[in-house]
Amino acid sequence: MIQTRLTRGALLPARLRRLGRDDHGMSTVEYAIGTVAAAAFGALLYTVVTGDSILTALTDLVRRALTVDF
């Protein structure tokens, strides 16, 4: 039984064996980088949505949706 476990363990690459020992979750630095990335994406999205072309397109879309032709 012990021989089987050792053989299986020897076949796994070192990277897969390390997965069980690595810390789970994100560290403080990863949280900080994720927060900065989310804020940057939000700022970019806000800039795109509040641009004139998008505002005009959304206004036209709402006008067409509310206009009823009989």
Side-chain angles (χ1 to χ4, degrees):
M1 190 65 105
I2 293 173
Q3 181 65 27
T4 306
R5 287 183 187 165
L6 290 176
T7 304
R8 258 190 257 149
L11 294 177
L12 290 175
R15 187 174 198 178
L16 289 177
R17 286 194 305 258
R18 283 193 309 252
L19 285 176
R21 295 186 302 231
D22 286 343
D23 291 333
H24 297 291
M26 294 193 310
S27 68
T28 304
V29 173
E30 290 168 329
Y31 277 118
I33 291 172
T35 302
V36 169
F41 180 71
L44 177 67
L45 188 60
Y46 177 78
T47 302
V48 168
V49 170
T50 57
D52 289 335
S53 61
I54 299 295
L55 188 58
T56 303
L58 288 175
T59 304
D60 290 342
L61 181 68
V62 170
R63 281 189 184 144
R64 277 187 295 174
L66 296 176
T67 302
V68 178
D69 295 327
F70 290 106

